[in-house]
Amino acid sequence: MGLFDRHAGLLEAYRDVRTTGYDPFQIRMERVLSPTKAIINGRETLLVGTNNYFGLTFDPSCMEAAIEAIRAEGTGTTGSRIANGSYSEHVALEKEIAEFYGKKHCMVFTTGYQANLGVIATLAGQGDFLLIDADSHASIYDACKMTQAEVVRFKHNDPTSLEARLRRLGDKPGNRVVVLEGIYSMLGDSAPLREFVDVCKKYGAYVLIDEAHSLGALGEHGRGLCEKAGVLDDCHFIVGTFSKTLGAIGGYCVSDDPDFDILRVTVRSYMFTASLPPSIVASVRQALRVVKARPELRTQLWDNVATLYDGLKAQGFTLGPEHGPVVGVHLPDRMTAIGFWRAMLDAGIYVNVAVPPATPNGVSLLRCSLCAVHTKEQLDHMVEVMTGIGRQFGVLPDKQLRAAGAR
Ligand SMILES: Cc1ncc(COP(=O)(O)O)c(C=O)c1O
C-alpha cells in the first residue's frame, strides 16, 4: 500500500480541480498592491477573498509600528512564551485585549488555529463533554481530535438541537463546554447567541465563542457577536484571531476565570511554539487602536456587504442566509464552482472557492469576503462580471428568458 493510498478520494478530487488549468489552492499573489488589489497571473486583480475586513494590512500607522518594533527589538523572539519569548509588548497586548473585552485575563497565541486547538482541547478533558456546532471551523474539529472529552455535535445554529443533546446527558458527571462561532466562515451567518446562552445557562454549560470573523465587524465597539447580542458576561471564553480584521497574524483567548493562567502551563500549542515576533505584536496593538478609533470602518464594511449581497441576490444567485462580511455563493457542484472561480480570475477578480470536504453539507461555494475599503464601483463591477459568468455557466437564467419570465 502506498503512503497516500488512503487519500485516494481526495487525490481524485484534487486532480479534477486542476483540470481547469489553475490550481485554486496554490494561487500565487505575485505582488500585493493594497488591501483590495494584487497582481495575479500577470494582471491587476480585485481581491474579494482575503478576510481583510477593515483593510488594515496597509494601514500606515500599523506598518510604521511594525517597522519601528523591528528596529527596536529585532525580527523574531526565537522562543516560546514559557522560555525567552515573553516580551513586555506581549504582556501589554494581552492587557489591552483583556481591557477591550472588559475581561480579566488574556493569552496571546501565535495563530488563531493554535488558540482554538490548545484552549478547547485543554478546557474539556477526560470525563467532560465538548459540544460543538456541526459547521465548526477545522481548528475546532482538530481540538476534538486532541481532547480526552466526549465530543457531541449539534445541528448548525440550532439551540433546540443543543438543548436536546444537553438534556440527553442528564446528570452524568463532567463539565459541559459548548463551542460556538460569532460568524461562520463559509456562509457568513451568525449564531443565535442569546438563545444558545440561555440553553447553556439552563444546563450549567460553559460557553466558548470563536469571534474570528466577527471581531471589528459586530457590536457597537467591534467586540463581536457577544457584544451585539449583549452576552459578553455570559461567554466564559472568547477566542479570536489577528489574521483577519487586525491584518496580521496571531490568536487570543480572554476570560474572567480566576484560574485562567493555568492554561499557560497546560496548553501545548502555547507552550511548545515560538511566540509572535515584535513587529506583529506592535502592528496588532496599533490595529486594535484603529478599530477603537475608527468605527466608520465597520459602517463602510456593512455598506459593502449590502452592495454585494443585495446585488448578487437581485440577479438570482443563491447566497448564504443573511448579510455578513463573508458572502457565500452556492453553485450546483464542485466542477461548476471551480470553472466559475477560474472564469472570475480570468476576468480579474479573486475570490475563494470552497468545495467538499471543506464545506458544510457538501455544498460547493464561491466564498467572497468584503473589505471596508472596497469601493462601490469595484463591487458593482463584480456583480456585473459574476452575472455574466453565471449566465454563461447556466447558473443564472439567460437574460432573454429572465425578461420573458418577468412579463
Ligand atoms: C472560525 C475560524 N477560527 C479560527 C481560525 C484560525 O485563525 P488563524 O488564521 O489565526 O489561524 C479561522 C481562520 O480561518 C477561522 O475561520
Side-chain angles (χ1 to χ4, degrees), residues 10 22 24 28 30 47 53 59 62 144-145 164 214 229-230 248 250 264 267 309 322 347 399:
L10 204 54
Y22 296 154
R28 192 150 44 91
E30 283 143 25
L47 301 176
Y53 300 123
D59 178 276
C62 297
C144 292
K145 289 184 190 157
S214 31
R264 293 189 194 272
V267 173
Y309 189 101
E322 59 186 281
K399 211 175 189 172

Side-chain angles (χ1 to χ4, degrees), residues 132-152:
I132 67 160
D133 185 288
D135 287 4
S136 290
H137 186 257
S139 53
I140 297 169
Y141 271 104
D142 289 357
C144 292
K145 289 184 190 157
M146 281 180 53
T147 181
Q148 307 274 317
E150 188 176 324
V151 177
V152 179

Side-chain angles (χ1 to χ4, degrees), residues 111-113 116 137 139 181 185 210 212-213 241-244 250:
T111 65
Y113 175 89
N116 268 342
H137 186 257
S139 53
E181 291 175 37
S185 60
D210 176 358
H213 294 271
T241 176
F242 304 147
S243 72
K244 304 185 193 304

Side-chain angles (χ1 to χ4, degrees), residues 38-288:
I39 306 291
I40 302 177
N41 294 334
R43 76 172 282 180
E44 190 172 297
T45 303
L46 176 64
L47 301 176
V48 194
T50 61
N51 310 306
N52 197 351
Y53 300 123
F54 278 17
L56 295 186
T57 48
F58 279 80
D59 178 276
S61 67
C62 297
M63 289 162 76
E64 213 41 59
I67 293 163
E68 231 172 75
I70 290 186
R71 293 223 165 86
E73 298 203 278
T75 53
T77 66
T78 68
S80 98
R81 289 294 300 281
I82 59 164
N84 57 296
S86 214
Y87 290 18
S88 300
E89 288 74 13
H90 292 104
V91 179
L93 174 59
E94 286 174 339
K95 189 165 171 280
E96 285 158 9
I97 297 172
E99 277 167 12
F100 178 64
Y101 284 102
K103 298 274 185 192
K104 291 198 177 74
H105 309 282
C106 174
M107 270 170 79
V108 160
F109 292 77
T110 308
T111 65
Y113 175 89
Q114 285 163 296
N116 268 342
L117 188 73
V119 172
I120 295 170
T122 308
L123 285 177
Q126 186 128 40
D128 295 332
F129 299 93
L130 185 55
L131 296 107
I132 67 160
D133 185 288
D135 287 4
S136 290
H137 186 257
S139 53
I140 297 169
Y141 271 104
D142 289 357
C144 292
K145 289 184 190 157
M146 281 180 53
T147 181
Q148 307 274 317
E150 188 176 324
V151 177
V152 179
R153 272 195 328 172
F154 54 89
K155 280 193 203 141
H156 175 54
N157 272 352
D158 187 343
T160 314
S161 167
L162 172 64
E163 173 151 25
R165 306 288 188 278
L166 284 166
R167 196 183 312 116
R168 210 172 298 152
L169 294 180
D171 54 8
K172 283 187 190 168
N175 290 319
R176 280 85 169 126
V177 179
V178 174
V179 179
L180 305 165
E181 291 175 37
I183 292 178
Y184 282 83
S185 60
M186 288 292 155
L187 293 170
D189 50 336
S190 293
L193 187 55
R194 201 170 251 285
E195 290 88 329
F196 271 129
V197 163
D198 287 344
V199 171
C200 291
K201 275 187 179 165
K202 185 168 163 192
Y203 291 87
Y206 291 94
V207 180
L208 179 147
I209 180 158
D210 176 358
E211 298 267 23
H213 294 271
S214 31
L215 169 65
L218 294 179
E220 197 189 337
H221 302 93
R223 292 178 193 132
L225 184 62
C226 290
E227 183 184 22
K228 185 177 175 206
V231 293
L232 261 170
D233 290 342
D234 300 308
C235 292
H236 304 91
F237 301 93
I238 302 171
V239 175
T241 176
F242 304 147
S243 72
K244 304 185 193 304
T245 298
L246 301 182
I249 189 167
Y252 60 90
C253 179
V254 296
S255 177
D256 276 331
D257 194 300
D259 293 323
F260 185 73
D261 259 2
I262 195 69
L263 293 178
R264 293 189 194 272
V265 287
T266 46
V267 173
R268 299 169 69 82
S269 62
Y270 175 87
M271 296 162 67
F272 298 111
T273 195
S275 63
L276 287 171
S279 52
I280 296 296
V281 176
S283 82
V284 169
R285 289 180 70 191
Q286 180 55 25
L288 196 60

Side-chain angles (χ1 to χ4, degrees), residues 3 5 177 188 200 267 290 377 407:
L3 274 179
D5 286 358
V177 179
C200 291
V267 173
V290 174
E377 292 67 39
R407 276 199 289 274

